Amino acid sequence: MTTTAVRNDGPAAVTPAPTVGGHVRNYLSRVRGGDVGALPAVLGLIVLCTVFAVMRPSSFLSAGNFANLFTQGAAVTLIAMGLVFVLLLGEIDLSAGFASGVCAAVLANVVTVLGHPWWVAVLAAVATGLVIGTSLGLLVAKIGIPSFVVTLAGFLAFQGIVLMLVKDGTNISVRDETLVAIANRNLAPTLGWALAALAVIGYGAVQLLRHRNRVARGLITDPIAVLALRIGGLAVILGTAVYVLNLERSRNVLVVSLKGVPIVVPVIAVLLIIWTFVLQRTSYGRHIYAVGGNREAARRAGIGVDRIRISVFVICSAMAAIGGIVAASRANSVDPNTGGSNVLLYAVGAAVIGGTSLFGGKGRVLDAVLGGAVVAVIENGMGLMGYSAGVKYVVTGVVLLLAASVDALSRRRAAATGTR
């Protein structure tokens, strides 16, 4: 008996075109399932800015204060960007604050005491950060000492090293014009507009290229209207920011003109783009998420877990070095308190408030920027309202606790709905 195969030459299934309504429903479904992302940080930032704008409109909404927010939170944000990598593995680095202080002290000694050029001092500071990160990573990954203990020891030891580098309490001035310009000078207004336009064009090109590639492979993608909204939203935000920052902020224009985007802003933006690309578009970044999600499964999949663990501490300390350079630039000097006081607490708080999980496996470098903005707005706004440092600490602590609570509850929700 002969069996005849039946072929079905009918049309292949076509992926339905995505709609804006479907995109919104999917997003709300993810939020209900516990995937809130940076939504709490964004909403918190909007609420805080609204409150301070209502309470102190003339001071908080001024162009000068807007520029001050960027320079005020720059060092903490940069350190927080490095901490994101460590937190993604479920580890912690308590030494990041004073590590930035050590690197800043090296910078000041090389450029001021030894008289070397600024670029030699910067290389020395970053190299110091790399050595610190490698040492911490080796102790954690190879010796097996918990990161809490290793970095707590580093916190104490680096504080002593800072004291020794600044000669037991003296102040080392940083007068090099290039270094001082990092946190105290501004771009020309036309250059600010050019960089904003370049950022929008680049972001739009990446979004459209990604959309085209997904369509070509038959994958579900976001509607064109949503992409246009993202690109347009970025253009509005950057355009507004550049316009405000290009306003004259000097109280006496005859003496000095003060306008333009602070130089530290494109520095943070470039590092944000680089590290976002590393995490989201490279195998190394995928390995970090894999190790943070399930270390043993990652090991069985052939990922070099120890190598990944060492590398995140290296990145964290290198970013701490850059944060220390910015802090030294803003203060025009280095002293025993550089990298100390509330720097570490604010940096960890910025990463967590922005949406990076303390449990590992979830977070983005953008979270550190958003969280750093929240911390800067709290400190700045409450200072304008005349509140004491004690009240600022309490409010920042409450915000951090709320962010950690949202993280814990969202993970519980995600586990209950099976979305993780």
Side-chain angles (χ1 to χ4, degrees):
M1 182 176 179
T2 304
T3 302
T4 304
V6 179
R7 292 179 56 190
N8 183 4
D9 294 328
V14 179
T15 302
T19 63
V20 176
H23 179 83
V24 173
R25 286 191 295 272
N26 289 337
Y27 177 74
L28 293 177
S29 177
R30 292 198 305 270
V31 172
R32 287 193 295 268
D35 184 11
V36 296
L39 181 61
V42 173
L43 293 178
L45 187 60
I46 293 173
V47 170
L48 288 169
C49 289
T50 302
V51 170
F52 292 135
V54 172
M55 299 297 292
R56 291 290 186 273
S58 60
S59 53
F60 184 77
L61 295 179
S62 66
N65 189 62
F66 185 55
N68 186 52
L69 283 171
F70 288 103
T71 57
Q72 184 176 350
V76 167
T77 299
L78 289 166
I79 297 172
M81 290 167 70
L83 281 167
V84 167
F85 286 83
V86 174
L87 293 174
L88 280 173
L89 296 192
E91 306 283 1
I92 190 65
D93 187 353
L94 299 177
S95 67
F98 275 115
S100 72
V102 170
C103 297
V106 169
L107 174 90
N109 274 281
V110 172
V111 76
T112 301
V113 178
L114 300 180
H116 291 295
W118 67 269
W119 58 270
V120 174
V122 169
L123 289 177
V126 174
T128 301
L130 294 176
V131 171
I132 290 174
T134 302
S135 302
L136 296 175
L138 287 172
L139 290 172
V140 172
K142 295 301 185 180
I143 307 301
I145 308 174
S147 60
F148 179 88
V149 177
V150 171
T151 58
L152 178 60
F155 173 88
L156 298 172
F158 298 154
Q159 187 173 3
I161 293 175
V162 171
L163 285 171
M164 290 186 286
L165 289 174
V166 297
K167 304 297 186 293
D168 293 327
T170 59
N171 185 301
I172 303 178
S173 298
V174 176
R175 300 301 182 192
D176 183 271
E177 285 297 323
T178 303
L179 294 176
V180 171
I182 296 174
N184 296 284
R185 301 289 186 268
N186 306 298
L187 300 175
T190 53
L191 183 56
W193 284 116
L195 290 178
L198 182 63
V200 173
I201 293 172
Y203 178 76
V206 170
Q207 290 292 315
L208 293 175
L209 181 62
R210 184 184 304 170
H211 180 271
R212 189 185 69 176
N213 291 339
R214 291 183 66 86
V215 170
R217 290 182 291 174
L219 302 175
I220 297 176
T221 186
D222 295 332
I224 289 293
V226 173
L227 298 183
L229 184 62
R230 289 175 183 165
I231 298 170
L234 179 65
V236 171
I237 292 173
L238 291 183
T240 303
V242 172
Y243 171 77
V244 174
L245 292 171
N246 281 345
L247 296 175
E248 184 60 63
R249 305 192 294 270
S250 176
R251 295 183 178 181
N252 191 340
V253 183
L254 298 177
V255 176
V256 61
S257 178
L258 187 60
K259 58 183 178 180
V261 177
I263 293 175
V264 74
V265 173
V267 171
I268 294 176
V270 169
L271 290 170
L272 172 63
I273 293 171
I274 292 173
W275 291 127
T276 298
F277 176 82
V278 168
L279 279 180
Q280 298 185 0
R281 295 286 174 237
T282 66
S283 58
Y284 170 72
R286 291 189 288 273
H287 289 171
I288 289 178
Y289 284 109
V291 174
N294 190 319
R295 186 179 302 171
E296 185 57 33
R299 192 187 307 275
R300 293 182 179 182
I303 297 174
V305 174
D306 287 349
R307 177 178 60 85
I308 296 295
R309 295 178 74 191
I310 294 171
S311 67
V312 296
F313 281 97
V314 172
I315 292 173
C316 181
S317 295
M319 289 301 296
I322 298 175
I325 293 170
V326 171
S329 170
R330 184 167 186 258
N332 292 344
S333 63
V334 174
D335 59 49
N337 291 322
T338 302
S341 184
N342 53 12
V343 172
L344 172 67
L345 303 180
Y346 279 177
V348 175
V352 176
I353 289 170
T356 300
S357 176
L358 287 168
F359 302 97
K362 187 181 77 171
R364 303 171 302 169
V365 181
L366 179 61
D367 296 340
V369 177
L370 293 173
V374 172
V375 172
V377 167
I378 292 174
E379 186 175 12
N380 178 274
M382 299 197 74
L384 293 175
M385 295 179 66
Y387 287 105
S388 65
V391 176
K392 295 179 189 177
Y393 287 146
V394 170
V395 173
T396 306
V398 170
V399 173
L400 174 59
L401 183 61
L402 289 174
S405 300
V406 169
D407 178 35
L409 292 175
S410 64
R411 279 183 167 267
R412 182 181 301 178
R413 178 66 177 173
T417 56
T419 56
R420 284 183 63 87

